[in-house]
Amino acid sequence: MASPTYITTPIYYVNDRPHIGHCYTTGLADCLARFSRLASGDPSQTYFLTGTDEHADKVVTSAAAHGMTPLQWADRNAAAFEEAFRACNYTHDDFVRTTQDRHKTKVIEYINALLASGDVYLGEYTGWWDASQEEYLTETMAKEAGFISPVTGKPLVKRSEKNYFFRLSKYQARLKAHIDAHPTFILPEARRNEVLGRLRDGLEDIPVSRAVTDDPASRWGILMPNDPGHRIYVWIDALFNYLSVVDRPELSRFWPASVHLMAKDILWFHAVIWPCMLMALNRPLPRRVYAHSYWVREGVKMSKSLGNFVTIEVMQAYAARYGMDALRWYLLTQGPSGTTDADFSHARFVEVFNADLANGIGNCASRVGNMIDKYFGGVLPEGVREHVAEGSTRSLSACCAASAANTMKALDTCDAGEALLAGIAIVREVDQYINLTSPFKLAKTVDADPSAKTRLADILYTCAEAIRVASVLLSPGLPTKMAQLWSAWGCAPAAGATLESLASFAGVHGLRAGSRVTKGEILFMRADPAEPAPA
Ligand code: MSP
């Protein structure tokens, strides 16, 4: 991603408690933001925003049910999201809440600009009113429901109301041209095709306000600046957050956003409505809109009625047993980043944990650290250089270069999982290299054959340096454990170093003669598949 980089997540409704779905999108953003900071070597060139969407009607109802004001209720739940994201070790630069003045004043500015240009106008909305649910159904939905409320069975009434509308239809052709000209504007590609398909049906202007009624709940939101009889529709208010936060001199370099991340449920708002609003405001469009799929649990869709959400409490129980890095790893490498849903399955979690972490990077780093400790007193001797195993098809330095290139390529399409797995590919090759070179056997011959000692040093150096490169590529997913490894091996990335230079085998940041490589603590203890899931 080009510098400066601006990565956003949806802002989450505060009437719900945070769960794995919210933590996943923000976690994906966290991993991409960490990669981006590493890539440029300058953390101030990356901005990562998450937050909460607070002006929904549901907030008013839930607050009342809990004997609180909407703002008190929003405060409480926004704090729960912030706490959850802190516990997951996320490094967002900002947490926006739509009830904050900094956001509200900007929204008013944008709406005023759209009123002035005529892109927001007063019109009339006609629909089928479901009085029992206080919502409109479109003609098609009403017809399908037999003109009775699908929820309560009471008759629907045809009703009209004055509303402010956004001239979405005016921007249809420009949007289509933009999507055509920018093949990676909407990703994954299958989602892009869905959007293009729906666009063929044509775009109608959309209401951007709701009437204020006698019900005090209808005042919860931002009032239209020109007309206190209307408030801005919550979705319009919410979409503006991406711009409102960085629309000030210190942060303006971050617009346009590099990527808006979300799940497929809200792609239309981000890929169609938001870009058209930006065109109307004469602002550049985000470079990318990325919609992932859903988490399900043990093969079943998560829902309130089933009560089977992977809640923040379940996530904490996993983190307590396996470590937060292990949970991050599972989410990032097994998550629904593409077009298929992903399963949060305990058996799979343990399998991946053991394969990639305990028996993967953990075991490999500890084997190599132990041998350097045992045979060389924990210090790489003079003259060490890369050793290529007889019978191997490629050197470990070539494997590191290929993996680093794979990481970069995966990052081009926001594929954090693939970017991380490139690090594990190095670990697997180091394991094979150890099998081919058998340093523990070689160590037994050094007394009789002094040249074996030099070869042993070269072999262990080669392994350690490859693991160091792997640790750099793995660090955005496993920040705590890789920092632990770096401290045992004295190879923490220098401030200002770039991902490219850190990931280069035997480069300026590499291990060398004199580097102290100590055993360190075990990074990941093997998990017992027979142990029941933490709850
Ligand atoms: N407030 C709106 C978004 C406004 S953005 C300008 C909203 N909020 S939400 O709380 O419902 O969050 C929806 C988002 O949460 C999804 O797009 C996705 O990022 C995340 N997830 C919620 N459930 C999820 C899964 N089961 N799986 C993966 N992510 C999901 O919509």
Side-chain angles (χ1 to χ4, degrees):
M1 262 179 279
S3 215
T5 301
Y6 178 29
I7 301 170
T8 71
T9 74
I11 48 173
Y12 307 105
Y13 286 131
V14 279
N15 55 302
D16 244 349
R17 303 243 320 131
H19 60 66
I20 189 176
H22 313 124
C23 292
Y24 175 68
T25 315
T26 299
L28 185 58
D30 179 69
C31 185
L32 295 175
R34 286 176 186 266
F35 267 121
S36 162
R37 292 186 198 111
L38 257 184
S40 81
D42 178 0
S44 73
Q45 291 307 311
T46 296
Y47 206 74
F48 159 22
L49 177 70
T50 192
T52 43
D53 182 359
E54 308 194 354
H55 289 134
D57 291 359
K58 292 181 270 192
V59 173
V60 182
T61 347
S62 317
H66 290 85
M68 290 188 196
T69 66
L71 191 58
Q72 283 169 334
W73 182 242
D75 283 346
R76 193 174 116 164
N77 287 319
F81 275 94
E82 285 199 80
E83 209 180 291
F85 295 162
R86 242 196 321 272
C88 294
N89 220 342
Y90 294 160
T91 54
H92 38 289
D93 294 286
D94 204 343
F95 187 99
V96 64
R97 299 181 52 190
T98 52
T99 47
Q100 289 166 337
D101 281 339
R102 61 163 171 167
H103 169 74
K104 293 196 285 190
T105 46
K106 286 287 176 189
V107 170
I108 288 172
E109 222 177 83
Y110 305 141
I111 291 287
N112 271 331
L114 295 174
L115 282 164
S117 68
D119 279 324
V120 165
Y121 63 93
L122 189 62
E124 197 161 63
Y125 179 80
T126 306
W128 288 91
W129 178 244
D130 178 351
S132 51
Q133 290 300 102
E134 286 197 56
E135 69 175 357
Y136 277 106
L137 273 72
T138 60
E139 188 71 35
T140 336
M141 284 157 73
K143 208 180 217 163
E144 271 170 20
F147 300 99
I148 55 165
S149 163
V151 185
T152 61
K154 299 215 171 110
L156 301 174
V157 185
K158 193 151 198 182
R159 196 167 114 168
S160 296
E161 80 177 37
K162 290 242 181 273
N163 259 321
Y164 287 87
F165 282 79
F166 170 58
R167 254 181 240 289
L168 186 64
S169 55
K170 175 174 157 191
Y171 294 95
Q172 171 167 348
R174 256 177 79 186
L175 177 69
K176 166 87 171 52
H178 184 84
I179 300 176
D180 286 341
H182 300 86
T184 59
F185 173 58
I186 303 171
L187 282 181
E189 203 185 336
R191 301 271 172 246
R192 173 178 190 262
N193 293 337
E194 281 169 19
V195 170
L196 282 170
R198 267 186 78 183
L199 268 181
R200 273 181 224 118
D201 297 340
L203 293 177
E204 285 180 8
D205 294 355
I206 51 161
V208 295
S209 74
R210 293 283 189 264
V212 171
T213 62
D214 295 343
D215 178 1
S218 73
R219 302 188 72 80
W220 178 243
I222 308 175
L223 295 181
M224 284 293 287
N226 61 327
D227 182 350
H230 288 263
R231 74 186 153 134
I232 300 165
Y233 176 38
V234 63
W235 258 105
I236 302 299
D237 163 0
L239 286 167
F240 280 132
N241 91 88
Y242 302 125
L243 182 60
S244 73
V245 169
V246 296
D247 197 6
R248 46 193 161 118
E250 328 77 271
L251 295 176
S252 59
R253 68 181 184 284
F254 289 112
W255 194 262
S258 313
V259 60
H260 293 318
L261 299 168
M262 76 221 62
K264 56 191 174 184
D265 53 342
I266 55 177
L267 176 60
W268 186 254
F269 285 100
H270 288 82
V272 174
I273 298 175
W274 177 229
C276 291
M277 283 163 59
L278 286 165
M279 285 181 201
L281 287 169
N282 289 316
R283 302 278 187 152
L285 304 195
R287 297 191 200 287
R288 176 166 302 163
V289 175
Y290 190 99
H292 59 74
S293 301
Y294 287 142
W295 278 101
V296 301
R297 186 176 192 182
E298 305 292 351
V300 181
K301 186 175 188 277
M302 296 186 294
S303 74
K304 280 226 173 86
S305 50
L306 287 175
N308 65 340
F309 274 103
V310 178
T311 59
I312 194 72
E313 288 74 21
V314 172
M315 293 176 67
Q316 267 156 3
Y318 269 86
R321 190 188 293 170
Y322 304 102
M324 185 47 84
D325 277 9
L327 180 60
R328 291 172 58 105
W329 182 260
Y330 186 69
L331 297 188
L332 288 164
T333 62
Q334 306 298 311
S337 65
T339 44
T340 39
D341 291 347
D343 193 15
F344 192 90
S345 126
H346 180 64
R348 180 78 186 135
F349 182 97
V350 172
E351 197 183 314
V352 168
F353 176 89
N354 280 338
D356 292 346
L357 306 182
N359 300 334
I361 177 68
N363 183 54
C364 192
S366 113
R367 270 169 106 187
V368 172
N370 283 343
M371 287 192 277
I372 295 177
D373 191 68
K374 192 161 161 199
Y375 308 136
F376 296 96
V379 181
L380 290 175
E382 279 308 314
V384 280
R385 57 201 165 87
E386 185 181 11
H387 166 272
V388 180
E390 258 175 62
S392 69
T393 46
R394 66 171 176 178
S395 63
L396 282 185
S397 59
C399 160
C400 287
S403 279
N406 286 344
T407 296
M408 300 295 191
K409 189 160 161 264
L411 291 175
D412 277 347
T413 51
C414 299
D415 194 340
E418 278 303 305
L420 293 171
L421 285 167
I424 291 295
I426 299 178
V427 173
R428 306 239 191 277
E429 290 220 11
V430 173
D431 277 335
Q432 267 182 33
Y433 174 87
I434 294 177
N435 291 343
L436 283 174
T437 53
S438 309
F440 35 88
K441 280 193 202 145
L442 189 62
K444 294 194 182 116
T445 68
V446 294
D447 289 341
D449 171 12
S451 77
K453 182 110 188 173
T454 313
R455 205 155 70 249
L456 180 61
D458 288 346
I459 289 171
L460 293 179
Y461 158 74
T462 305
C463 295
E465 178 60 357
I467 291 172
R468 184 197 64 76
V469 172
S471 75
V472 171
L473 303 183
L474 294 170
S475 63
L478 305 170
T480 310
K481 294 297 180 177
M482 293 306 100
Q484 189 184 319
L485 179 66
W486 293 336
S487 103
W489 289 17
C491 61
T498 63
L499 179 59
E500 199 182 1
S501 67
L502 289 167
S504 109
F505 188 100
V508 284
H509 300 288
L511 297 168
R512 59 197 70 251
S515 289
R516 287 198 68 85
V517 175
T518 60
K519 283 202 288 197
E521 274 176 43
I522 302 245
L523 294 174
F524 299 98
M525 294 295 276
R526 227 158 263 145
D528 176 3
E531 202 181 348

